[in-house]
Amino acid sequence: MNYTLHQLRIFSQIVEKQSITKASEALYLTQPAVSIQLKNFQDQFPIPLTEVVGRKLFITDFGREIALSAERILSEVDGINYRMQSFGGKLAGRLKVSVVSTGKYVMPYFLSGFMKANTGVDLVMDVTNKARVVQSLEENQVDFALVSVLPDHLKLKKASLMKNVLYLVANPNHYKKILLSKKMFVKDTPLIFREPGSATRAAMETYLNNAEIQVGKRIELTSNEAVKQAVIAGLGCSIMPLIGIKNELKNGSLEIFPKRSLPIQTTWNLVWLASKKLSPVATAFLEYVEQEKEQIIQRDFDWFEKY
């Protein structure tokens, strides 16, 4: 056996992403480079690590066993590097954060200064749907999660970051006349929802139920970006977080339509398991957020006040 740490990292990414293309993107390598390293790694084993069925890559049972060993080896190597830096008086380690999809417009601003000040810290940030975020908390896979609605079945601690505001928006070229009328919606005005379990969808449904609004045509999409593009294209209107539509409001492809009891306001919360013992890196990040959040909000989110 003569495999390298580089090959182990590449194979771990391939297993995690279930794709050579996505692994190459995550590693900032070309696809051919990743394919060559996978072949060189495979050549050292008499049993297949992967197989391709119908142009789709699958990891074999043996491959998954090797991936688990690779993760342990890489974790030990990272641990050696972190301990070396710590002995030099440098904050070092890994910070893992899981973020709901809309939170990708928020979390980087609260991470940027911390990461620049602590070059020995490695960041792993997973942007996904709420169900996966909650699962990552339940299974203790992350230090923190960013959510706007707290899961009520977990014992959590939280640090409130900033407000999350949701408005009724539409492409003004398609729905302006209808949405400026006294009626909230008419039968032929489609309303675009996120998937079940999404905090944005829950906020929309609560609002519609409380206002006793009957929705005619419903469209369901599985990401905030998909909803935004559908609204821009004129497929319908939606109640969307302000945080994700700044540029579209500025260029006029979306417009906010004021209605009674809108906007909806929630809060972005950084949460973690109440029973979790935070690492030195996680503790330092939490202290940073508490000290700097007001300045971050004033510097990067002052445009909220225009709406």
Side-chain angles (χ1 to χ4, degrees):
M1 292 293 176
N2 193 30
Y3 46 78
T4 65
L5 291 175
H6 183 54
Q7 289 172 345
L8 291 177
R9 290 193 190 281
I10 287 175
F11 185 63
S12 292
Q13 280 295 314
I14 291 171
V15 173
E16 180 183 333
K17 305 297 184 184
Q18 298 285 300
S19 163
I20 290 175
T21 301
K22 290 179 180 178
S24 66
E25 291 171 354
L27 293 163
Y28 300 100
L29 297 171
T30 65
Q31 188 172 330
V34 170
S35 296
I36 289 169
Q37 289 300 322
L38 175 61
K39 181 182 182 304
N40 291 341
F41 189 55
Q42 173 64 80
D43 287 346
Q44 299 177 73
F45 300 95
I47 304 171
L49 300 169
T50 64
E51 57 185 355
V52 177
V53 180
R55 300 184 67 183
K56 186 173 181 181
L57 181 75
F58 292 89
I59 312 301
T60 65
D61 290 342
F62 178 69
R64 293 192 181 282
E65 290 293 327
I66 296 300
L68 289 174
S69 297
E71 281 297 314
R72 287 193 291 268
I73 293 168
L74 293 170
S75 179
E76 287 296 322
V77 171
D78 289 341
I80 291 170
N81 292 332
Y82 296 146
R83 285 191 289 274
M84 180 180 66
Q85 293 180 68
S86 295
F87 271 99
K90 195 175 186 181
L91 183 66
R94 184 174 292 172
L95 181 65
K96 293 184 178 181
V97 186
S98 187
V99 179
V100 293
S101 59
T102 311
K104 66 177 175 286
Y105 302 109
V106 176
M107 199 69 228
Y109 293 95
F110 289 88
L111 286 162
S112 177
F114 178 78
M115 295 302 297
K116 287 177 182 176
N118 298 283
T119 55
V121 174
D122 292 328
L123 173 65
V124 178
M125 187 172 81
D126 182 30
V127 180
T128 184
N129 58 41
K130 186 184 175 186
R132 178 70 188 102
V133 168
V134 172
Q135 182 185 355
S136 69
L137 278 171
E138 287 176 319
E139 297 177 358
N140 196 29
Q141 296 175 348
V142 295
D143 298 302
F144 301 106
L146 183 70
V147 294
S148 59
V149 176
L150 302 179
D152 53 15
H153 66 290
L154 295 177
K155 290 184 179 180
L156 300 171
K157 291 183 180 180
K158 69 172 183 175
S160 297
L161 297 189
M162 59 180 285
K163 64 184 179 182
N164 180 36
V165 188
L166 296 91
Y167 286 93
L168 173 66
V169 296
N171 183 322
N173 295 324
H174 292 271
Y175 293 102
K176 188 166 189 172
K177 193 173 290 185
I178 292 172
L179 295 179
L180 287 176
S181 68
K182 289 184 179 180
K183 257 189 170 180
M184 173 68 175
F185 296 109
V186 296
K187 188 177 180 181
D188 296 326
T189 308
L191 187 61
I192 304 175
F193 290 81
R194 285 285 304 275
E195 75 283 1
S198 158
T200 300
R201 179 178 177 130
M204 285 177 63
E205 290 182 332
T206 298
Y207 166 75
L208 294 168
N209 289 335
N210 291 342
E212 298 182 343
I213 295 169
Q214 297 296 316
V215 180
K217 187 174 180 60
R218 300 166 73 102
I219 298 173
E220 184 179 300
L221 299 173
T222 57
S223 75
N224 193 68
E225 190 64 29
V227 172
K228 180 167 67 176
Q229 295 304 322
V231 175
I232 291 171
L235 276 176
C237 51
S238 187
I239 296 173
M240 297 191 69
L242 178 63
I243 190 71
I245 56 175
K246 176 184 178 182
N247 293 334
E248 290 73 21
L249 292 173
K250 190 174 180 180
N251 66 29
S253 56
L254 290 179
E255 185 173 326
I256 289 172
F257 292 89
K259 293 291 177 180
R260 186 166 56 88
S261 301
L262 286 176
I264 301 166
Q265 185 165 317
T266 60
T267 303
W268 286 111
N269 295 293
L270 194 67
V271 300
W272 62 99
L273 290 175
S275 59
K276 186 176 182 63
K277 184 177 180 181
L278 295 179
S279 68
V281 168
T283 300
F285 176 63
L286 194 57
E287 291 172 354
Y288 168 83
V289 166
E290 293 290 6
Q291 291 171 6
E292 301 293 330
K293 67 179 180 181
E294 293 304 326
Q295 291 184 8
I296 294 169
I297 292 168
Q298 290 174 14
R299 182 186 67 234
D300 298 309
F301 300 102
D302 61 331
W303 59 273
F304 261 48
E305 303 310 319
K306 291 170 59 178
Y307 303 96

